[in-house]
C-alpha cells in the first residue's frame, strides 16, 4: 500500500494560497487569484479524499514538532494532527463545500475591486478551520479557533467602505458610506461577542490542565477514564467549554452576532456562517465527548441551550424580510438542533445533521446570492416574487434546499432531523416537543421564503433579472444533488437501512442506539413528516392571506424577540455613555497638559526658524555672533577706558 500523504498538507495548500495572494496581489491579474485560491482548496480536498480512502479503524497521530519540551509545565507541548473518522468527515466538508463556494465566488465577486484580497481571506479561513478540526490538543485547536474568528471578522467587514463609496452620484456615495459603517459594526460585534466565548474556552483549558496535567486530546482520553477527579471539576470544565461553543456557534445568549454577520458577501455567509465555522462549537462538544459523558449536568445544559436556541431562531425567522436574514436565523435554529443532539449524547445524530446542513444551507445561501446578483443587490423578499420565470435552474435547486431543510422524504434533512427527534423523545420528552414544534416552524418560514421569492407575481424593480451563469450553476447543481441524496448515507433500520453513517462515525465517538419500539419510531417519523408538510401548507395559506404577521407577533419576530434591543439597552447604551464620559475626561486632561506643554514650548518655537539645515546660514550666524561678541567687548573696553 502506497504511503499516505502527510496531514500537514491539508492546511498548507490554502496557507500558501493566502500568503501568495496577500504578498503578491499584482501577480494575479483579473480572476487569476480566484482560480489559484480555488486550486489550493481543491488540492486540500484531494488530500482529504485520499486520507479518507486509506483510513483504518485506528486514528492517525502525526506530531510535527515538540514545542517547549519538559520545561515549566512539566509536559510536552506538541504541534500535531489527529486524524480519525470525525476529523476526516470535517476535513471533507470544509474542503469539499469550501471548494464549491470558492468556485461560485469567482463569478459572484468577479467585479469587486478587492477580488484577490477576498480570495486570500477565504483561503486563510479554510486553513484555520482545518487546523481547528485536525488539532491533537486543545491549545492547537484554540489557534485554529482564533484564526477562523479573525477570518470571520475580515470577511464580515470586507465591504467596510461600502460598495458604492466611490460612486460619482452623491446619493449612492452616501449610501455606500452608511453601508460601510454598518458592515464594520457587524464585524466588530461578531469579534467582541466571540471573545466572550473564547474566554470560556480558555478557562476550560486551564481547568482541564489543572485536573489532568495535559491538554493533549489523545492523552486526556486515556487519563479521564482512570483519574480520581471530583465530578464537580469535570462539570465546571465542560461548562466553560460550552461557553466557548456557544460563542462560536451563535447560541443563546451569544447569538445576536450571527444574523448581523450577513453583512459580508453572500459566499461568506454560505461558507463561514452556515456550513463550517459556526459548526465549530458542535465539533468541540463532539470531540470532547469523553468529558461530557462524565458530566451529565453540563450535557443537559448543552441540550437545553440547543433546544431553546432552536426555538428562538425559528420564531425570529418567521417574519424577516431580508432574503439572507431568514436563512441566518434558520442557521441559528438548525445549530440548536445539533447542540440538542450532542447534549443528549446522540453525537452521531448531531454530526450527521451538521453534514446535511452543510449541503442544504450552503445551497440555500448560494441560491439567495444568485437572486441578489440578478436583482442588482436587492435583498428584500417583498421586492421579489415570480423569480422562477427568470431563473428556472436556480428555482429548482433552491426548491431542493427548501424540501431538505423542511424534512420532507427523501431529502437529506428528513433523515438527520428525524434521528435527532428520536433521540430527544427517548431522553427528554419536553425537548422532543420543542424539537417537533421547531420542525413545524422551520417548514413554515422556509415555505414563506420560497413563496415570496419564487412564486406569485414579480414585484421587483430590475427590468430583466438574469439567470446565474455556468460558474455559479455548477456548485448549485452539485449541492442540490448532495442535499437531495446525502441522507441516504444513514438510512435507519426500520426503513431497511443499515445506519452506515453511524457505523462509520462510531469508531470515533459513541453512537446513541435507540431503545424505542419500531412502531413508536414509525409514529415519530410520521409526526415529523406531518410537521414538515403542515408547515409548508401553512406557508402557502399565509402567502395567500398575508394577515398573520401584521400585529404584535409579526413585530416581535421581525425584531428577533427584542433580544438585540435588550442587549443594546442593558449593555450598549450604558457602555457608549461611559465611553463618551471617559473620552471627555481624557480630552480635558489632554487639553490641560497640552496647554502647559504649549506654554513651555512657545519660546522655543520662536527660534525654530533658525535651524534651516543650510551650512551657509550657520556660517552667517557664526559670523554675526562673533561680530556681536567682539562689538560687546569693544564697547565694554571703551567704556572702561573713558571711566578711567
Amino acid at each position: 500500500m502506497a504511503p499516505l500523504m502527510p496531514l500537514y498538507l491539508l492546511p498548507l495548500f490554502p496557507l500558501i494560497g493566502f500568503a501568495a495572494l496577500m504578498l503578491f496581489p499584482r501577480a494575479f491579474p483579473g480572476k487569476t487569484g480566484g482560480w489559484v485560491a480555488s486550486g489550493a482548496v481543491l488540492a486540500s480536498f484531494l488530500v482529504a479524499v485520499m486520507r479518507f480512502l486509506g483510513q483504518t479503524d485506528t486514528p492517525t497521530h502525526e506530531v510535527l514538532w515538540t514545542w517547549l519540551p519538559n520545561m515549566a509545565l512539566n509536559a510536552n507541548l506538541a504541534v500535531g494532527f489527529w486524524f480519525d473518522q470525525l476529523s476526516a468527515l470535517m476535513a471533507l466538508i470544509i474542503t469539499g463545500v469550501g471548494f464549491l463556494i470558492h468556485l461560485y465566488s469567482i463569478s459572484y465577486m468577479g467585479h469587486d475591486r478587492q477580488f484577490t484580497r477576498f480570495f486570500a481571506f477565504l483561503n486563510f479561513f479554510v486553513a484555520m478551520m482545518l487546523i481547528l478540526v485536525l488539532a491533537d490538543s486543545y491549545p492547537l485547536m484554540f489557534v485554529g479557533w482564533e484564526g477562523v474568528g479573525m477570518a470571520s471578522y475580515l470577511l464580515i467587514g470586507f465591504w467596510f467602505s461600502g460598495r458604492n463609496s466611490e460612486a460619482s452620484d452623491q446619493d449612492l456615495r452616501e449610501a455606500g458610506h452608511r453601508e460601510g459603517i454598518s458592515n464594520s459594526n457587524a464585524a466588530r460585534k461578531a469579534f467582541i461577542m466571540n471573545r466572550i466565548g473564547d474566554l470560556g474556552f480558555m478557562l476550560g483549558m486551564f481547568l482541564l490542565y489543572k485536573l489532568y496535567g495535559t491538554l493533549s486530546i489523545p492523552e486526556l482520553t486515556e487519563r479521564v477514564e482512570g483519574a480520581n477527579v471530583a465530578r464537580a471539576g469535570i462539570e465546571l470544565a465542560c461548562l466553560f467549554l460550552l461557553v466557548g461553543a456557544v460563542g462560536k456557534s451563535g447560541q443563546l445568549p451569544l447569538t445576536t452576532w450571527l444574523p448581523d454577520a450577513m453583512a459580508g458577501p453572500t459566499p461568506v455567509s454560505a461558507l463561514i456562517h452556515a456550513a463550517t465555522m459556526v459548526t465549530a462549537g458542535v465539533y468541540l462538544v463532539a470531540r470532547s465527548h469523553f468529558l461530557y459523558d462524565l458530566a451529565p449536568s453540563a450535557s443537559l445544559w448543552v441540550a437545553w441551550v440547543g433546544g431553546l436556541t432552536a426555538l428562538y431562531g425559528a420564531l425570529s425567522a418567521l417574519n424577516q424580510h431580508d432574503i439572507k436574514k431568514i436563512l441566518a436565523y434558520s442557521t441559528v435554529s438548525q445549530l440548536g438542533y445539533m447542540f440538542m443532539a450532542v447534549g443528549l449524547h446522540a453525537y452521531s445524530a448531531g454530526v450527521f445533521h451538521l453534514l446535511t446542513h452543510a449541503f442544504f444551507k450552503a445551497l440555500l445561501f448560494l441560491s439567495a446570492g444568485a437572486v441578489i446578483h440578478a436583482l442588482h443587490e436587492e435583498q428584500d423578499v417583498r421586492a421579489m416574487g415570480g423569480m422562477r420565470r427568470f431563473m428556472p435552474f436556480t428555482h429548482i435547486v433552491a426548491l431542493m434546499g427548501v424540501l431538505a431543510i423542511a424534512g420532507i422524504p427523501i431529502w437529506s434533512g428528513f433523515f438527520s432531523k428525524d434521528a435527532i427527534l428520536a433521540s430527544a423523545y427517548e431522553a427528554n420528552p419536553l425537548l422532543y416537543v420543542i424539537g417537533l414544534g421547531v420542525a413545524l416552524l422551520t417548514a413554515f418560514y422556509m415555505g414563506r421564503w420560497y413563496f415570496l421569492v419564487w412564486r406569485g407575481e414579480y414585484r421587483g424593480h430590475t427590468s430583466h433579472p438574469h439567470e446565474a451563469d455556468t460558474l455559479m450553476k455548477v456548485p448549485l447543481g452539485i449541492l442540490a444533488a448532495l442535499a437531495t441524496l446525502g441522507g441516504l448515507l444513514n438510512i435507519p433500520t426500520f426503513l431497511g437501512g443499515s445506519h452506515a453513517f453511524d457505523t462509520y462515525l462510531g469508531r470515533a465517538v459513541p453512537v446513541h442506539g435507540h431503545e424505542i419500539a419500531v412502531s413508536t419510531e414509525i409514529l415519530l417519523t410520521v409526526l415529523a413528516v406531518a410537521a414538515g408538510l403542515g408547515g409548508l401548507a401553512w406557508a402557502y395559506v399565509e402567502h395567500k392571506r398575508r394577515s398573520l404577521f401584521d400585529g404584535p407577533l409579526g413585530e416581535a419576530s421581525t425584531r428577533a424577540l427584542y433580544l438585540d434591543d435588550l442587549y443594546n439597552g442593558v449593555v450598549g447604551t450604558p457602555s457608549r455613555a461611559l465611553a463618551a464620559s471617559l473620552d471627555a475626561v481624557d480630552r480635558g486632561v489632554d487639553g490641560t497638559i497640552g496647554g502647559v506643554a504649549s506654554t513651555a514650548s512657545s519660546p522655543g518655537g520662536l527660534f525654530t526658524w533658525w535651524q534651516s539645515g543650510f551650512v551657509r546660514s550657520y556660517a552667517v550666524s557664526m559670523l554675526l555672533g562673533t561680530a556681536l561678541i567682539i562689538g560687546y567687548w569693544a564697547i565694554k573696553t571703551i567704556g572702561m577706558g573713558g571711566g578711567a
Side-chain angles (χ1 to χ4, degrees), residues 260-338:
D260 288 359
M262 298 303 107
T266 302
V268 174
S269 305
L271 177 63
I272 296 183
H273 305 114
T276 50
M277 189 196 86
V278 290
T279 62
V282 181
Y283 172 80
L284 174 62
V285 177
R287 174 56 74 200
S288 307
H289 65 86
F290 54 91
L291 296 170
Y292 283 94
D293 286 343
L294 301 176
S297 297
S299 296
L300 193 60
W301 271 96
V302 175
W304 273 104
V305 165
L308 294 176
T309 304
L311 182 60
Y312 166 79
L315 291 172
S316 300
L318 293 177
N319 200 40
Q320 296 297 320
H321 305 304
D322 186 304
I323 188 173
K324 288 169 61 177
K325 278 287 184 73
I326 297 171
L327 300 178
Y329 282 108
S330 169
T331 298
V332 170
S333 183
Q334 297 301 306
L335 287 167
Y337 267 131
M338 300 174 210

Side-chain angles (χ1 to χ4, degrees), residues 176-453:
H177 287 312
R178 289 193 298 271
E179 180 193 41
I181 293 172
S182 176
N183 295 343
S184 299
N185 288 338
R188 282 193 289 268
K189 183 177 182 179
F191 192 81
I192 292 170
M193 295 194 79
N194 271 271
R195 297 294 74 73
I196 300 172
D198 294 347
L199 176 61
F201 194 153
M202 293 175 66
L203 292 174
M205 286 195 294
F206 297 156
L207 184 54
L208 284 175
Y209 187 82
K210 175 73 174 177
L211 294 173
Y212 299 106
T214 183
L215 290 173
S216 166
I217 294 173
E219 292 180 7
L220 271 173
T221 306
E222 296 175 357
R223 296 187 188 185
V224 162
E225 296 297 331
N228 185 21
V229 174
R231 176 178 159 183
I234 303 177
E235 294 276 10
L236 184 58
C238 289
L239 287 174
F240 280 141
L241 293 180
L242 172 60
V243 174
V246 161
K248 192 64 73 181
S249 294
Q251 299 293 282
L252 288 174
L254 302 177
T255 190
T256 56
W257 70 267
L258 199 154
D260 288 359
M262 298 303 107
T266 302
V268 174
S269 305
L271 177 63
I272 296 183
H273 305 114
T276 50
M277 189 196 86
V278 290
T279 62
V282 181
Y283 172 80
L284 174 62
V285 177
R287 174 56 74 200
S288 307
H289 65 86
F290 54 91
L291 296 170
Y292 283 94
D293 286 343
L294 301 176
S297 297
S299 296
L300 193 60
W301 271 96
V302 175
W304 273 104
V305 165
L308 294 176
T309 304
L311 182 60
Y312 166 79
L315 291 172
S316 300
L318 293 177
N319 200 40
Q320 296 297 320
H321 305 304
D322 186 304
I323 188 173
K324 288 169 61 177
K325 278 287 184 73
I326 297 171
L327 300 178
Y329 282 108
S330 169
T331 298
V332 170
S333 183
Q334 297 301 306
L335 287 167
Y337 267 131
M338 300 174 210
F339 269 76
M340 185 167 69
V342 295
L344 297 174
H345 299 168
Y347 302 108
S348 181
V351 175
F352 187 48
H353 196 57
L354 185 157
L355 172 67
T356 62
H357 180 263
F359 296 153
F360 61 68
K361 189 54 65 67
L363 171 63
L364 288 167
F365 266 115
L366 296 187
S367 299
V371 173
I372 295 169
H373 198 260
L375 297 178
H376 304 301
E377 308 308 321
E378 178 61 70
Q379 294 187 203
D380 193 330
V381 293
R382 294 169 295 185
M384 297 179 186
M387 292 299 294
R388 72 187 189 282
R389 295 194 300 273
F390 307 108
M391 309 177 70
F393 176 84
T394 307
H395 164 241
I396 293 298
V397 297
L399 179 59
M400 299 301 103
V402 170
L403 294 174
I405 194 174
I408 307 300
I410 59 167
W411 283 270
S412 60
F414 160 72
F415 295 98
S416 58
K417 191 179 297 183
D418 191 61
I420 293 175
L421 291 176
S423 300
Y425 176 83
E426 182 183 10
N428 193 311
L430 183 54
L431 280 174
Y432 167 76
V433 172
I434 293 175
L436 187 63
V438 170
L440 174 68
L441 296 175
T442 300
F444 169 77
Y445 66 68
M446 287 311 304
R448 173 178 174 269
W449 181 89
Y450 170 76
F451 288 119
L452 284 173
V453 175

